[in-house]
Each structure stands twice: as C-alpha cells, then as structure tokens.
Amino acid sequence: MRTKLFLALLAVLLSSCFPSRSSLTVGLRFGFELSPVITRFEPDRGQGASYRVGESVSFIISLTRAGYVALVGLDPDGTAYEFDRVFLNPGTHLLSGPPGFRYELRPPLGMQRVRAIYTDTPYPSGFVIRGTYSLERWDQQISIYIDRSGSRVRDVAETYLYIR
C-alpha cells in the first residue's frame, strides 16, 4: 500500500515538472517564445471531426488575456489563407464568422488545418497570409506575421478537421 501511494505521489510530482503543452518545442518551431494564452482551440464538433462541403464550422477558443486573434487555414493542397481577425477578451468564445458571414467549408476534400495566432498588439499592417505553402513555409509565414506585429505576448494553437 505504501509503495502504491509513493508511486502515485511521485507521478504527480514528476508530471508537474513537464507542462502539458511544450511551449519550448512550439516556440522553437516558430522562432519565438510563446506564452500560454490560448488554452483551448477546436472546431465546434471537436478536433478531427468531419464536415461536408457547404456546411458551416465554428471554432471554440479560450484565452487567458485580451488580445488579437487571426485565424489561418491550410487546405490539403497547401493553399493557406487568413479568414478572420478579431479582438477578444479573456474567456471562451465561439467564432463562426464576421457579422453577416459564416465559415463555410469548400473543397478541396481532406484534412484542413487551422491555426489561431494570438498577439497582444494589432495585426501587422499590410501583411496577409495567402499562398501555397509547405508546412515549413507556413510556419515561416506565421513567424513573419508574429515578428511584424511587434507583440511581446504571442501564442499559436492548431486544430484540424476533415472536409468530406
């Protein structure tokens, strides 16, 4: 009994040494140290959910502080684009598109990646993520976006869904 209690206590202590989200790895990926501001980011049906062409998708995002969020998609064919920019207060939000619009899913079919980019400063003037990229080049474009924002507090979260 004592051994089980000791092992359970040891597991709890060791798990507290390793954050659930590796900001070091993610920070190196984008060339910046990221702050844990985005605590949740996923499609309304959950990460990895399936949607049909023509359906709408919403995203659930939770923030620990107020700031600017850009949503950027990467289609299965490598086409990347920004599809929304919003200012959000701390808390959990359901993003479904600008007033009068919605996030409607269109081809190509397959896995759609979506990133939420958080900065504590307004969006970089004149810089828009749009083009055809490899994953590495997409990471570079997000790094440029963050750099040009001049933000001291920044975070990036990624989710995905399938378009059928």
Side-chain angles (χ1 to χ4, degrees):
M1 181 66 158
R2 287 176 125 174
T3 304
K4 287 183 183 179
L5 181 61
F6 173 75
L7 290 175
L9 181 59
L10 182 62
V12 169
L13 289 172
L14 287 175
S15 68
S16 67
C17 295
F18 302 99
S20 60
R21 177 177 159 184
S22 175
S23 62
L24 177 61
T25 302
V26 174
L28 290 174
R29 182 175 179 182
F30 295 109
F32 296 101
E33 182 177 334
L34 301 178
S35 302
V37 176
I38 303 170
T39 59
R40 180 181 180 195
F41 181 58
E42 62 185 314
D44 54 351
R45 294 183 189 168
Q47 183 160 288
S50 290
Y51 295 80
R52 294 190 185 282
V53 170
E55 285 188 305
S56 295
V57 62
S58 297
F59 294 94
I60 301 165
I61 187 167
S62 298
L63 304 175
T64 59
R65 60 188 294 167
Y68 300 85
V69 174
L71 297 180
V72 183
L74 183 67
D75 287 344
D77 65 0
T79 302
Y81 50 89
E82 262 181 69
F83 61 93
D84 207 354
R85 292 181 175 189
V86 293
F87 178 85
L88 298 172
N89 286 312
T92 299
H93 306 273
L94 183 66
L95 303 177
S96 56
F101 295 91
R102 59 192 180 121
Y103 306 139
E104 184 177 305
L105 298 169
R106 298 186 179 149
L109 305 181
M111 187 174 83
Q112 171 78 41
R113 295 173 186 262
V114 180
R115 287 186 180 162
I117 306 168
Y118 169 90
T119 57
D120 66 347
T121 56
Y123 319 105
S125 177
F127 186 81
V128 177
I129 296 173
R130 186 175 332 165
T132 303
Y133 305 122
S134 65
L135 283 175
E136 182 180 317
R137 185 74 177 123
W138 194 38
D139 288 347
Q140 291 171 351
Q141 289 298 305
I142 290 172
S143 293
I144 293 168
Y145 181 100
I146 292 169
D147 185 48
R148 290 194 182 169
S149 75
S151 180
R152 289 177 289 143
V153 179
R154 53 250 179 157
D155 199 5
V156 177
E158 183 175 311
T159 191
Y160 67 96
L161 55 99
Y162 290 94
I163 301 174
R164 307 274 182 221

